[in-house]
């Protein structure tokens, strides 16, 4: 006779951006019956303002959906859409969602200790966990990293994999330790590379494979099964930073694109109520039409994003 599945107390740490919203839409329906707390980061990297392509990615991942589209949806309580905004997720699933600036400080540590989590998952969170925090969950703290470790440690891993000509992007579930992307690995899931699709499409779809691994592990934990971990071969580790102009030029020279208007609209439509008017209003209002769909080239949208002087945020990169 099998053990009865045990409900768990789960903390999800992710980013307040488009990918973070997609991650929560994938995770929260699968955690029914568990007690869940969601923590969001708003970390920014000033260096992203200096490179037009990074400013472009930031605009697409955060500024347009978070500052323009989501508020329009939330104003009208667009709860009949397939996907929910952060506010909609809190309503739909009855979870607490809050932004934290310092997860390792006294306030962040107190918040986690007060919740008493069984397990914590970081997916695109950007903030580095210190031992005083990652040792709190009784089953440990895990990270879903959008790159196959140890080869694609660090930032902008999907971009680096595509630039290298990889035929699939790995997504690694690993336990968090004192390093950065150095902890023992539970497993690696894979997203086949589709050259006709944009980098942004790959970034937004890479996490699913790692989340599936997490839920497999979680199901084991519910029944008292401790996951197996494999130490990384540090000799194979390559840590990447944010790319510069030469890397982006090489990416385009391979016929690859950072974004595609149709890819992007296809993803955003999932958040829009069934009549579709919200997204069309955004397009008509020039947020999409001028900056994306009407852009003659990636350089046009990148330049427009830089001119807006937006603060950096991306962790497509992390």
């Amino acid at each position: 006779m099998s053990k009865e599945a045990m409900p768990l107390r789960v903390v999800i740490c992710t980013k307040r951006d488009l990918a973070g919203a997609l991650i929560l839409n994938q995770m929260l329906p699968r955690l029914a019956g568990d007690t869940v707390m969601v923590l969001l980061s708003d970390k920014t990297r000033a260096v992203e303002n200096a490179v037009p392509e990074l400013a472009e990615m930031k605009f697409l991942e955060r500024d347009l959906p978070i500052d323009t589209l989501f508020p329009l949806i939330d104003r009208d309580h667009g709860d009949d859409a397939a996907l929910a905004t952060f506010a909609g997720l809190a309503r739909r699933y009855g979870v607490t969602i809050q932004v934290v600036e310092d997860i390792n400080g006294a306030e962040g540590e107190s918040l986690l200790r007060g919740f008493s989590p069984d397990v914590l998952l970081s997916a695109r969170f950007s903030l580095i966990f210190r031992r005083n925090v990652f040792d709190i969950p009784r089953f440990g703290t895990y990270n879903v990293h959008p790159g196959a470790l140890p080869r694609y440690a660090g930032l902008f891993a999907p971009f680096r994999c595509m630039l290298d000509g990889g035929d699939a992007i790995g997504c690694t579930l690993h336990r968090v330790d004192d390093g950065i992307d150095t902890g023992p690995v539970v497993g690696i899931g894979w997203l086949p590379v589709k050259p006709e699709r944009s980098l942004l499409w790959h970034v937004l779809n890479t996490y699913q494979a790692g989340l599936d691994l997490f839920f497999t592990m979680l199901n084991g934990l519910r029944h008292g099964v401790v996951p197996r971990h494999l130490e990384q071969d540090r000799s194979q580790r390559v840590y990447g930073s944010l790319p510069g102009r030469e890397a982006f030029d090489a990416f385009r020279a391979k016929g690859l694109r950072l974004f595609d208007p149709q890819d992007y609209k296809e993803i955003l439509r999932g958040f829009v109520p069934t009549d579709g008017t919200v997204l069309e209003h955004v397009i008509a209002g020039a947020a999409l039409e001028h900056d994306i769909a009407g852009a003659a080239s990636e350089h046009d949208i990148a330049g427009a994003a830089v001119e807006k002087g937006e603060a950096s945020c991306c962790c497509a990169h992390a």
Side-chain angles (χ1 to χ4, degrees), residues 249-270:
D249 287 345
F251 192 80
R252 281 187 289 265
K254 287 179 173 285
L256 301 171
R257 297 167 297 161
L258 297 183
F259 81 96
D260 176 82
Q262 295 307 314
D263 277 358
Y264 191 57
K265 289 171 66 177
E266 175 185 309
I267 292 165
L268 291 186
R269 284 191 189 281

Side-chain angles (χ1 to χ4, degrees), residues 140-162:
T141 294
Y142 290 83
N143 180 50
V144 170
H145 175 74
L149 295 176
R151 172 65 180 85
Y152 289 102
L155 309 179
F156 239 70
F159 173 90
R160 291 158 52 205
C161 180
M162 293 176 71

Side-chain angles (χ1 to χ4, degrees), residues 14 157 292:
T14 189
I292 300 172

Side-chain angles (χ1 to χ4, degrees), residues 129-178:
F129 295 93
R130 302 304 178 197
R131 184 167 290 276
N132 66 303
V133 164
F134 70 67
D135 271 348
I136 291 176
R138 65 174 177 138
F139 293 133
T141 294
Y142 290 83
N143 180 50
V144 170
H145 175 74
L149 295 176
R151 172 65 180 85
Y152 289 102
L155 309 179
F156 239 70
F159 173 90
R160 291 158 52 205
C161 180
M162 293 176 71
L163 183 60
D164 289 345
D167 57 8
I169 299 170
C171 190
T172 306
L173 175 65
H174 69 96
R175 187 153 183 165
V176 172
D177 64 7
D178 290 305

Side-chain angles (χ1 to χ4, degrees), residues 105-150:
E107 186 175 346
E109 181 177 347
S110 177
L111 181 66
L112 287 174
R113 291 194 183 279
F115 185 75
S116 300
D118 294 307
V119 64
L120 184 154
L121 180 73
S122 170
R124 195 180 172 82
F125 191 48
S126 290
L127 304 182
I128 303 302
F129 295 93
R130 302 304 178 197
R131 184 167 290 276
N132 66 303
V133 164
F134 70 67
D135 271 348
I136 291 176
R138 65 174 177 138
F139 293 133
T141 294
Y142 290 83
N143 180 50
V144 170
H145 175 74
L149 295 176

Side-chain angles (χ1 to χ4, degrees), residues 40 85 88 101 136 156 212 223 227 229 233 252 257 275:
L40 305 177
T85 66
E101 294 183 2
I136 291 176
F156 239 70
D212 287 343
H223 294 87
H229 301 82
D233 180 355
R252 281 187 289 265
R257 297 167 297 161
D275 64 8

Side-chain angles (χ1 to χ4, degrees), residues 1-276:
M1 184 175 179
S2 62
K3 292 183 179 179
E4 184 178 350
M6 175 177 57
L8 298 171
R9 298 181 66 82
V10 181
V11 176
I12 305 172
C13 294
T14 189
K15 192 67 163 275
R16 196 176 75 94
D17 68 359
L18 180 58
L22 290 169
I23 286 167
L24 292 179
N25 273 278
Q26 293 165 19
M27 293 194 70
L28 292 178
R30 302 173 73 174
L31 294 171
D34 296 309
T35 303
V36 180
M37 179 171 68
V38 176
L39 302 179
L40 305 177
S41 76
D42 257 335
K43 181 176 179 178
T44 64
R45 292 185 174 94
V47 66
E48 293 174 68
N49 281 328
V51 179
E53 289 85 353
L54 296 179
E56 172 189 346
M57 294 294 286
K58 178 266 303 178
F59 175 76
L60 298 170
E61 291 170 350
R62 176 175 177 179
D63 299 332
L64 182 55
I66 301 303
D67 296 339
T68 302
L69 181 60
F70 284 11
L72 285 172
I73 295 170
D74 293 336
R75 183 190 64 189
D76 296 328
H77 296 284
D79 292 335
D80 65 339
L83 303 174
T85 66
F86 292 109
L89 286 163
R91 289 193 302 270
R92 185 177 292 184
Y93 298 105
V95 298
T96 299
I97 300 178
Q98 56 192 304
V99 175
V100 294
E101 294 183 2
D102 181 6
I103 192 65
N104 302 297
E107 186 175 346
E109 181 177 347
S110 177
L111 181 66
L112 287 174
R113 291 194 183 279
F115 185 75
S116 300
D118 294 307
V119 64
L120 184 154
L121 180 73
S122 170
R124 195 180 172 82
F125 191 48
S126 290
L127 304 182
I128 303 302
F129 295 93
R130 302 304 178 197
R131 184 167 290 276
N132 66 303
V133 164
F134 70 67
D135 271 348
I136 291 176
R138 65 174 177 138
F139 293 133
T141 294
Y142 290 83
N143 180 50
V144 170
H145 175 74
L149 295 176
R151 172 65 180 85
Y152 289 102
L155 309 179
F156 239 70
F159 173 90
R160 291 158 52 205
C161 180
M162 293 176 71
L163 183 60
D164 289 345
D167 57 8
I169 299 170
C171 190
T172 306
L173 175 65
H174 69 96
R175 187 153 183 165
V176 172
D177 64 7
D178 290 305
I180 300 176
D181 300 335
T182 55
V185 171
V186 175
I188 302 177
W190 300 91
L191 174 72
V193 170
K194 298 184 177 182
E196 73 277 9
R197 295 281 197 172
S198 65
L199 170 66
L200 184 59
W201 183 91
H202 286 89
V203 167
L204 296 177
N205 283 279
T206 292
Y207 291 94
Q208 180 64 64
L211 297 180
D212 287 343
L213 291 171
F214 174 74
F215 279 104
T216 297
M217 182 188 77
L218 205 63
N219 186 57
L221 290 175
R222 295 184 195 281
H223 294 87
V225 178
V226 178
R228 297 180 59 187
H229 301 82
L230 180 65
E231 295 295 330
Q232 296 186 42
D233 180 355
R234 300 292 181 91
S235 69
Q236 301 300 310
R237 176 178 167 85
V238 179
Y239 187 91
S241 298
L242 293 177
R245 170 65 66 190
E246 289 186 4
F248 284 116
D249 287 345
F251 192 80
R252 281 187 289 265
K254 287 179 173 285
L256 301 171
R257 297 167 297 161
L258 297 183
F259 81 96
D260 176 82
Q262 295 307 314
D263 277 358
Y264 191 57
K265 289 171 66 177
E266 175 185 309
I267 292 165
L268 291 186
R269 284 191 189 281
F271 291 92
V272 177
T274 52
D275 64 8

